[in-house]
Amino acid sequence: MKTEAMLFGGVALFFGGAAALYGAWSRDATGTTALVVAFLMAALVSFFCLVQYRRRGSRPQDRTDAEVADGSGPVAFFPDESPWPIVTALGFAVTATGVVYGLWLFLIGLGVLARGVFGMVFQYARR
């Protein structure tokens, strides 16, 4: 997962830099917002992959001397149920509504959204 984390980290840096330059030069709120959202999505995937790499270590796919048989065994752990996707969706909905109705609602939604994302990433950390 280290390679994937670095790849998406690079994509996030690209979109972050592009958003900063585009926002400064064009003063277009719509395009800047789209680039910031792309930055946040790539940063989220990079963060998830980095946490998984630190938790599980390197995989056989990360080593150049690995054999095909090294990757055999159970594929992954698939949880039965989780409340965090619902919390994340609720946080996103409140955040998006806060863009229309005010900063106070946006900040509340951002807090709920952050809790949902961190809940999904760390829900099985002690497993």
Side-chain angles (χ1 to χ4, degrees), residues 48-79:
F48 177 78
C49 290
L50 188 64
V51 168
Q52 294 300 318
Y53 171 72
R54 288 189 178 177
R55 186 183 310 158
R56 296 182 182 170
S58 63
R59 302 171 299 167
Q61 293 90 343
D62 296 331
R63 296 190 339 250
T64 58
D65 63 337
E67 297 290 329
V68 174
D70 293 338
S72 65
V75 176
F77 169 72
F78 300 102

Short mmCIF file of all heavy atoms in Angstrom, two decimals, residues 48-79:
data_model
loop_
_atom_site.label_atom_id
_atom_site.label_comp_id
_atom_site.label_asym_id
_atom_site.label_seq_id
_atom_site.Cartn_x
_atom_site.Cartn_y
_atom_site.Cartn_z
N PHE A 48 -5.82 6.85 3.55
CA PHE A 48 -6.29 5.49 3.83
C PHE A 48 -5.21 4.46 3.49
O PHE A 48 -4.94 3.55 4.28
CB PHE A 48 -7.57 5.19 3.05
CG PHE A 48 -8.07 3.80 3.24
CD1 PHE A 48 -8.75 3.45 4.39
CD2 PHE A 48 -7.85 2.83 2.28
CE1 PHE A 48 -9.20 2.16 4.58
CE2 PHE A 48 -8.29 1.54 2.46
CZ PHE A 48 -8.98 1.20 3.61
N CYS A 49 -4.60 4.59 2.34
CA CYS A 49 -3.57 3.64 1.94
C CYS A 49 -2.36 3.71 2.87
O CYS A 49 -1.76 2.67 3.20
CB CYS A 49 -3.14 3.88 0.49
SG CYS A 49 -4.39 3.44 -0.72
N LEU A 50 -1.99 4.89 3.31
CA LEU A 50 -0.87 5.04 4.23
C LEU A 50 -1.16 4.40 5.58
O LEU A 50 -0.31 3.73 6.16
CB LEU A 50 -0.52 6.51 4.40
CG LEU A 50 0.74 6.82 5.18
CD1 LEU A 50 1.96 6.26 4.45
CD2 LEU A 50 0.89 8.30 5.40
N VAL A 51 -2.37 4.59 6.08
CA VAL A 51 -2.75 3.96 7.35
C VAL A 51 -2.74 2.44 7.22
O VAL A 51 -2.25 1.73 8.11
CB VAL A 51 -4.13 4.47 7.82
CG1 VAL A 51 -4.67 3.63 8.95
CG2 VAL A 51 -4.02 5.92 8.25
N GLN A 52 -3.24 1.92 6.11
CA GLN A 52 -3.24 0.47 5.90
C GLN A 52 -1.82 -0.07 5.79
O GLN A 52 -1.52 -1.15 6.29
CB GLN A 52 -4.04 0.12 4.65
CG GLN A 52 -5.51 0.42 4.76
CD GLN A 52 -6.17 -0.35 5.89
OE1 GLN A 52 -5.90 -1.52 6.11
NE2 GLN A 52 -7.02 0.32 6.62
N TYR A 53 -0.94 0.68 5.14
CA TYR A 53 0.45 0.24 5.03
C TYR A 53 1.12 0.21 6.40
O TYR A 53 1.83 -0.74 6.73
CB TYR A 53 1.23 1.16 4.09
CG TYR A 53 2.71 0.91 4.10
CD1 TYR A 53 3.23 -0.23 3.50
CD2 TYR A 53 3.58 1.78 4.72
CE1 TYR A 53 4.58 -0.49 3.52
CE2 TYR A 53 4.94 1.54 4.75
CZ TYR A 53 5.44 0.40 4.14
OH TYR A 53 6.78 0.15 4.16
N ARG A 54 0.89 1.24 7.21
CA ARG A 54 1.52 1.27 8.53
C ARG A 54 0.94 0.20 9.45
O ARG A 54 1.63 -0.30 10.34
CB ARG A 54 1.36 2.64 9.16
CG ARG A 54 2.24 3.64 8.48
CD ARG A 54 2.25 4.94 9.20
NE ARG A 54 3.16 5.86 8.53
CZ ARG A 54 3.36 7.09 8.89
NH1 ARG A 54 2.73 7.57 9.94
NH2 ARG A 54 4.18 7.85 8.22
N ARG A 55 -0.32 -0.13 9.26
CA ARG A 55 -0.95 -1.14 10.11
C ARG A 55 -0.54 -2.55 9.72
O ARG A 55 -0.29 -3.39 10.58
CB ARG A 55 -2.47 -1.01 10.01
CG ARG A 55 -3.18 -1.91 10.99
CD ARG A 55 -4.68 -1.86 10.88
NE ARG A 55 -5.18 -0.51 10.89
CZ ARG A 55 -6.35 -0.17 10.39
NH1 ARG A 55 -7.13 -1.07 9.85
NH2 ARG A 55 -6.76 1.07 10.44
N ARG A 56 -0.46 -2.84 8.43
CA ARG A 56 -0.23 -4.21 7.97
C ARG A 56 1.18 -4.46 7.49
O ARG A 56 1.57 -5.61 7.31
CB ARG A 56 -1.20 -4.53 6.85
CG ARG A 56 -2.63 -4.52 7.29
CD ARG A 56 -3.53 -4.89 6.17
NE ARG A 56 -4.92 -4.82 6.61
CZ ARG A 56 -5.93 -4.91 5.81
NH1 ARG A 56 -5.74 -5.06 4.51
NH2 ARG A 56 -7.16 -4.85 6.27
N GLY A 57 1.93 -3.44 7.18
CA GLY A 57 3.27 -3.63 6.65
C GLY A 57 3.24 -3.82 5.14
O GLY A 57 2.22 -3.65 4.48
N SER A 58 4.39 -4.18 4.61
CA SER A 58 4.47 -4.32 3.15
C SER A 58 3.83 -5.63 2.71
O SER A 58 3.83 -6.63 3.42
CB SER A 58 5.92 -4.27 2.70
OG SER A 58 6.65 -5.35 3.23
N ARG A 59 3.30 -5.62 1.51
CA ARG A 59 2.66 -6.78 0.92
C ARG A 59 3.63 -7.46 -0.03
O ARG A 59 4.66 -6.89 -0.39
CB ARG A 59 1.42 -6.36 0.13
CG ARG A 59 0.41 -5.62 0.94
CD ARG A 59 -0.66 -5.08 0.04
NE ARG A 59 -0.05 -4.14 -0.91
CZ ARG A 59 -0.65 -3.66 -1.99
NH1 ARG A 59 -1.85 -4.04 -2.27
NH2 ARG A 59 -0.04 -2.83 -2.79
N PRO A 60 3.33 -8.67 -0.46
CA PRO A 60 4.19 -9.31 -1.47
C PRO A 60 4.26 -8.50 -2.77
O PRO A 60 5.28 -8.51 -3.45
CB PRO A 60 3.53 -10.67 -1.70
CG PRO A 60 2.75 -10.95 -0.48
CD PRO A 60 2.33 -9.61 0.05
N GLN A 61 3.21 -7.77 -3.10
CA GLN A 61 3.21 -6.97 -4.32
C GLN A 61 4.19 -5.80 -4.23
O GLN A 61 4.57 -5.24 -5.25
CB GLN A 61 1.80 -6.41 -4.59
CG GLN A 61 0.79 -7.47 -4.93
CD GLN A 61 0.08 -8.01 -3.71
OE1 GLN A 61 0.53 -7.85 -2.59
NE2 GLN A 61 -1.04 -8.68 -3.92
N ASP A 62 4.58 -5.42 -3.02
CA ASP A 62 5.50 -4.30 -2.82
C ASP A 62 6.96 -4.72 -2.97
O ASP A 62 7.83 -3.87 -3.10
CB ASP A 62 5.30 -3.67 -1.44
CG ASP A 62 3.92 -3.06 -1.29
OD1 ASP A 62 3.35 -2.63 -2.30
OD2 ASP A 62 3.43 -3.01 -0.14
N ARG A 63 7.24 -6.01 -2.94
CA ARG A 63 8.61 -6.50 -3.02
C ARG A 63 8.93 -6.93 -4.45
O ARG A 63 8.10 -7.49 -5.15
CB ARG A 63 8.81 -7.69 -2.08
CG ARG A 63 8.63 -7.33 -0.63
CD ARG A 63 9.07 -8.45 0.31
NE ARG A 63 9.12 -9.77 -0.26
CZ ARG A 63 8.26 -10.75 0.04
NH1 ARG A 63 7.30 -10.55 0.90
NH2 ARG A 63 8.40 -11.93 -0.51
N THR A 64 10.15 -6.69 -4.88
CA THR A 64 10.54 -7.10 -6.23
C THR A 64 10.94 -8.56 -6.30
O THR A 64 10.88 -9.17 -7.37
CB THR A 64 11.73 -6.24 -6.72
OG1 THR A 64 12.81 -6.38 -5.81
CG2 THR A 64 11.32 -4.78 -6.84
N ASP A 65 11.32 -9.17 -5.17
CA ASP A 65 11.76 -10.56 -5.17
C ASP A 65 10.64 -11.53 -4.79
O ASP A 65 10.91 -12.70 -4.56
CB ASP A 65 12.94 -10.73 -4.21
CG ASP A 65 12.57 -10.42 -2.77
OD1 ASP A 65 11.59 -9.67 -2.57
OD2 ASP A 65 13.26 -10.91 -1.86
N ALA A 66 9.40 -11.10 -4.74
CA ALA A 66 8.29 -11.95 -4.30
C ALA A 66 7.86 -12.90 -5.41
O ALA A 66 7.97 -12.61 -6.60
CB ALA A 66 7.11 -11.09 -3.89
N GLU A 67 7.38 -14.05 -5.00
CA GLU A 67 6.82 -15.04 -5.91
C GLU A 67 5.30 -14.92 -5.91
O GLU A 67 4.72 -14.30 -5.01
CB GLU A 67 7.22 -16.45 -5.46
CG GLU A 67 8.70 -16.71 -5.48
CD GLU A 67 9.26 -16.79 -6.90
OE1 GLU A 67 8.51 -17.22 -7.80
OE2 GLU A 67 10.42 -16.41 -7.09
N VAL A 68 4.65 -15.53 -6.87
CA VAL A 68 3.19 -15.50 -6.95
C VAL A 68 2.58 -16.19 -5.74
O VAL A 68 1.57 -15.75 -5.18
CB VAL A 68 2.71 -16.16 -8.26
CG1 VAL A 68 1.20 -16.25 -8.29
CG2 VAL A 68 3.22 -15.40 -9.45
N ALA A 69 3.21 -17.26 -5.28
CA ALA A 69 2.69 -18.01 -4.14
C ALA A 69 2.73 -17.21 -2.84
O ALA A 69 2.00 -17.52 -1.89
CB ALA A 69 3.48 -19.30 -3.96
N ASP A 70 3.56 -16.17 -2.77
CA ASP A 70 3.63 -15.36 -1.56
C ASP A 70 2.35 -14.58 -1.32
O ASP A 70 2.05 -14.20 -0.19
CB ASP A 70 4.80 -14.37 -1.64
CG ASP A 70 6.14 -15.06 -1.61
OD1 ASP A 70 6.20 -16.21 -1.13
OD2 ASP A 70 7.12 -14.45 -2.07
N GLY A 71 1.60 -14.34 -2.37
CA GLY A 71 0.34 -13.60 -2.24
C GLY A 71 -0.86 -14.48 -1.97
O GLY A 71 -1.98 -13.99 -1.94
N SER A 72 -0.66 -15.77 -1.76
CA SER A 72 -1.80 -16.66 -1.52
C SER A 72 -2.29 -16.52 -0.09
O SER A 72 -1.63 -15.95 0.77
CB SER A 72 -1.40 -18.10 -1.79
OG SER A 72 -0.42 -18.50 -0.86
N GLY A 73 -3.46 -17.04 0.16
CA GLY A 73 -4.05 -16.96 1.49
C GLY A 73 -5.31 -16.14 1.46
O GLY A 73 -5.86 -15.84 0.40
N PRO A 74 -5.81 -15.76 2.63
CA PRO A 74 -7.03 -14.96 2.66
C PRO A 74 -6.81 -13.60 1.99
O PRO A 74 -5.77 -12.97 2.16
CB PRO A 74 -7.34 -14.77 4.15
CG PRO A 74 -6.25 -15.43 4.91
CD PRO A 74 -5.32 -16.08 3.94
N VAL A 75 -7.79 -13.18 1.23
CA VAL A 75 -7.67 -11.94 0.48
C VAL A 75 -7.73 -10.75 1.40
O VAL A 75 -6.86 -9.90 1.41
CB VAL A 75 -8.77 -11.86 -0.60
CG1 VAL A 75 -8.71 -10.54 -1.33
CG2 VAL A 75 -8.63 -13.00 -1.57
N ALA A 76 -8.78 -10.65 2.19
CA ALA A 76 -8.94 -9.51 3.08
C ALA A 76 -10.04 -9.81 4.08
O ALA A 76 -10.70 -10.84 4.02
CB ALA A 76 -9.28 -8.25 2.29
N PHE A 77 -10.22 -8.89 4.98
CA PHE A 77 -11.31 -8.98 5.96
C PHE A 77 -12.44 -8.08 5.49
O PHE A 77 -12.23 -6.91 5.18
CB PHE A 77 -10.80 -8.51 7.33
CG PHE A 77 -11.88 -8.31 8.33
CD1 PHE A 77 -12.54 -9.39 8.88
CD2 PHE A 77 -12.26 -7.04 8.70
CE1 PHE A 77 -13.54 -9.20 9.80
CE2 PHE A 77 -13.26 -6.84 9.62
CZ PHE A 77 -13.91 -7.93 10.17
N PHE A 78 -13.63 -8.64 5.39
CA PHE A 78 -14.79 -7.88 4.96
C PHE A 78 -15.78 -7.80 6.13
O PHE A 78 -16.33 -8.80 6.55
CB PHE A 78 -15.45 -8.55 3.76
CG PHE A 78 -14.53 -8.65 2.58
CD1 PHE A 78 -13.91 -9.84 2.26
CD2 PHE A 78 -14.27 -7.53 1.82
CE1 PHE A 78 -13.06 -9.93 1.18
CE2 PHE A 78 -13.41 -7.60 0.73
CZ PHE A 78 -12.82 -8.80 0.42
N PRO A 79 -16.00 -6.61 6.67
CA PRO A 79 -16.86 -6.47 7.85
C PRO A 79 -18.32 -6.73 7.53
O PRO A 79 -18.78 -6.54 6.40
CB PRO A 79 -16.65 -5.02 8.28
CG PRO A 79 -16.25 -4.32 7.04
CD PRO A 79 -15.48 -5.32 6.23
#
